[in-house]
Amino acid sequence: MEAEVDKLELMKNPVTLLKELSAIKSRYQTLYARFKPVAVEQEETKSRICATVNKTMNVIQKLQKQTDLELSPLTKEEKTAAEQFKSHMPDL
Amino acid sequence: MDPIRSFCGKLRSLASTLDCETARLQRALDGEESDFEDYPMRILYDLHSEVQTLKDDVNILLDKARLENQEGIDFIKATKVLMEKNSMDIMKIREYFQKYGYSPRAKKNSVHEQEAINSDPELSNCENVQKPDVKDDLSDPPVASSCISEKSPRSPQLSDFGLERYMVSQVPPNPPQAVNNYKEELVVVTPPSKPSLVKVLKTPKCALKMDDFECVTPKLEHFGISEYTMCLNEDYTMGLKNVRNNKREEATDTESRPNDNVFATPSSTIQQLEKSDAEYTNSPLVPTFCTPGLKIPSTKNSIALLLSKYNSNLATPVAIKAVPPSKRFLKHGQNIRDVSNKEN
């Protein structure tokens, strides 16, 4: 799709451009129709993963509190990832 | 009449438009009409702008799709990072618990051998609630119940308090066994003597209730001492003392039985104690090896003679194996130190 759009931009003749545009439009519509259910599934999976990971993290935190075990502190990326995941949760 | 009229009207309009157009064309041909030049330009311009907007729309859609794609990739990356960290933490926690006797649950492959679960009761409840939904329930309930029944009556072991390194014999230490179990995923059914994990945390504090504590001195009757027997006890003690004194004063070969002379025998308890055998009336010293009745001929070492006398006085064990005991003098020794002679 991107390649076709680039080709479109290169075109100078408006008439041919218009023709190509309509062709691209039709192709995009078919693609969109195919991928829409996949997108829905993806969202659902994302939310489930978020929930599971958050639960796991909570359990680990509880265990850590109970045992007073020193676990390695969160690195930067881990912190950002954790934040990201927590922000996902209220969306549900 | 009407069709003719309509036809004539249409014809008339057509003629007028025709006149108009020819006039315009004539003027365009002469170059006077300005509309003609702008018109195509306008059309072209409109066309171009339309095309541009369409292009822009396409680009916007494309960017949106790209962004969503990138978001998905980032999400997966973040998930991986967090999962890594979680698995590391779980490993650490599992190792920590294994030190105290937690043995991890076997997977579905090794169904035959499964283990009981770990320390904290509430923790085990949580894990029990979560895990049985996911993992197998096959042999869990019977094993869990058997292990629970084993738990309660067992006496506390050293490893219950994390002191298994002080254990000298018997059960091999927990960590290597547990770690091996974990590594090989072979969970061996442990003998019931294997201690389970006790609360790793702080030991519960219990305040001593000193208020209610009465210091009760044991009464004399518990020791068998009453006013009736008091005199006898003293006599018994004195008798022992006298025995020693008699031994010190007289020569080593006394035939008298100090036991019989000294003791009065009113009570039955002392009668039981006193017998013809001297062994029952021995003082509660460690049985010693000595032969007080032994007389060593002067041809042998005089030191040995001294030693034998020394023994009879102090009753300390001395090895006199070098000296051959003569049977004649053994008799005398038997009167008093029967036990020690038996040891000869």
Side-chain angles (χ1 to χ4, degrees):
Chain A
M1 191 60 67
E2 287 189 40
E4 290 178 359
V5 170
D6 291 340
K7 201 170 73 171
L8 207 63
E9 285 196 338
L10 286 174
M11 280 185 203
K12 295 198 178 163
N13 193 350
V15 177
T16 47
L17 200 138
L18 280 170
K19 282 186 197 161
E20 292 295 319
L21 204 64
S22 57
I24 287 173
K25 204 171 171 183
S26 61
R27 230 175 284 159
Y28 178 78
Q29 274 179 345
T30 42
L31 267 178
Y32 187 75
R34 275 171 68 191
F35 277 106
K36 197 165 181 190
V38 176
V40 168
E41 286 282 333
Q42 188 188 25
E43 277 303 313
E44 206 179 331
T45 315
K46 264 196 211 178
S47 59
R48 278 209 207 123
I49 289 175
C50 272
T52 312
V53 172
N54 278 334
K55 268 189 213 169
T56 318
M57 279 173 44
N58 286 339
V59 167
I60 287 177
Q61 272 183 6
K62 271 190 211 170
L63 282 173
Q64 187 186 2
K65 270 186 208 167
Q66 280 183 335
T67 61
D68 297 333
L69 181 62
E70 273 294 320
L71 292 177
S72 56
L74 294 173
T75 64
K76 246 189 187 177
E77 7 173 270
E78 285 165 355
K79 274 182 192 162
T80 47
E83 286 302 317
Q84 191 181 359
F85 272 68
K86 275 180 191 162
S87 64
H88 254 99
M89 289 299 289
D91 294 347
L92 294 173
Chain B
M1 280 305 276
D2 283 336
I4 295 171
R5 202 176 286 166
S6 61
F7 176 72
C8 285
K10 280 179 191 170
L11 199 61
R12 198 181 297 131
S13 60
L14 184 66
S16 63
T17 42
L18 200 64
D19 277 340
C20 252
E21 290 301 315
T22 47
R24 272 183 71 194
L25 282 168
Q26 187 66 44
R27 273 181 282 154
L29 193 64
D30 293 339
E32 292 170 7
E33 187 70 41
S34 60
D35 287 347
F36 263 31
E37 288 178 5
D38 294 340
Y39 194 58
M41 293 292 286
R42 211 181 297 145
I43 289 174
L44 197 63
Y45 180 74
D46 288 343
L47 196 66
H48 271 290
S49 56
E50 199 181 310
V51 165
Q52 194 61 42
T53 44
L54 282 172
K55 267 192 192 177
D56 291 341
D57 288 343
V58 166
N59 280 333
I60 285 169
L61 276 175
L62 207 64
D63 288 341
K64 220 164 125 186
R66 251 185 244 140
L67 204 68
E68 278 173 10
N69 191 22
Q70 194 62 34
E71 260 183 30
I73 290 173
D74 289 342
F75 180 83
I76 299 287
K77 274 190 202 164
T79 314
K80 275 187 189 164
V81 162
L82 281 179
M83 269 175 68
E84 276 258 346
K85 180 167 192 307
N86 282 349
S87 58
M88 291 285 296
D89 290 346
I90 287 174
M91 284 285 295
K92 279 187 198 167
I93 288 177
R94 199 191 292 236
E95 279 170 13
Y96 189 75
F97 279 3
Q98 272 175 356
K99 260 202 281 179
Y100 295 95
Y102 165 67
S103 19
R105 294 166 67 107
K107 293 188 182 173
K108 269 189 181 175
N109 301 333
S110 57
V111 166
H112 317 290
E113 309 136 340
Q114 283 212 0
E115 270 296 60
I117 316 178
N118 64 353
S119 62
D120 288 347
E122 52 181 56
L123 199 66
S124 62
N125 285 341
C126 284
E127 287 191 354
N128 275 332
V129 165
Q130 287 177 11
K131 283 187 184 178
D133 304 335
V134 177
K135 296 189 180 173
D136 57 335
D137 298 330
L138 286 172
S139 46
D140 279 348
V143 173
S145 62
S146 67
C147 287
I148 286 170
S149 62
E150 282 171 3
K151 259 190 190 178
S152 35
R154 189 176 45 231
S155 60
Q157 306 286 323
L158 274 178
S159 52
D160 287 346
F161 303 97
L163 300 172
E164 65 270 6
R165 67 183 111 117
Y166 294 116
M167 199 156 30
V168 177
S169 61
Q170 304 149 9
V171 184
N174 277 331
Q177 190 178 1
V179 166
N180 286 336
N181 284 344
Y182 175 66
K183 281 181 186 168
E184 300 166 16
E185 288 188 359
L186 279 178
V187 183
V188 179
V189 176
T190 57
S193 63
K194 183 170 183 176
S196 70
L197 176 57
V198 137
K199 286 172 190 164
V200 170
L201 321 169
K202 296 116 185 174
T203 54
K205 292 179 186 169
C206 178
L208 287 175
K209 295 178 187 173
M210 294 298 292
D211 306 325
D212 301 334
F213 180 72
E214 309 181 290
C215 300
V216 181
T217 55
K219 298 178 184 174
L220 284 178
E221 54 215 34
H222 296 308
F223 295 120
I225 301 173
S226 65
E227 60 265 30
Y228 301 107
T229 57
M230 195 73 75
C231 53
L232 297 169
N233 284 338
E234 266 194 26
D235 286 347
Y236 188 66
T237 314
M238 295 312 292
L240 281 175
K241 235 177 154 185
N242 288 337
V243 165
R244 284 228 193 93
N245 290 339
N246 288 342
K247 276 192 239 165
R248 275 187 212 125
E249 285 167 8
E250 295 170 11
T252 55
D253 51 347
T254 58
E255 281 199 302
S256 65
R257 291 187 170 201
N259 306 331
D260 291 340
N261 292 337
V262 174
F263 297 127
T265 63
S267 78
S268 56
T269 54
I270 295 186
Q271 264 182 349
Q272 285 172 6
L273 290 175
E274 144 199 16
K275 287 196 177 181
S276 56
D277 294 339
E279 60 192 350
Y280 289 96
T281 53
N282 280 344
S283 66
L285 293 170
V286 175
T288 60
F289 174 77
C290 89
T291 53
L294 176 66
K295 238 191 187 173
I296 298 163
S298 57
T299 52
K300 301 268 179 172
N301 294 335
S302 57
I303 294 173
L305 176 65
L306 281 172
L307 277 176
S308 65
K309 267 196 182 171
Y310 191 68
N311 275 343
S312 63
N313 288 340
L314 295 181
T316 52
V318 173
I320 316 182
K321 288 176 191 171
V323 179
S326 60
K327 285 186 182 175
R328 185 162 51 100
F329 294 103
L330 267 178
K331 274 187 202 169
H332 300 295
Q334 266 182 351
N335 291 337
I336 299 171
R337 297 283 176 194
D338 206 19
V339 178
S340 54
N341 282 334
K342 277 180 188 167
E343 285 177 351
N344 281 340

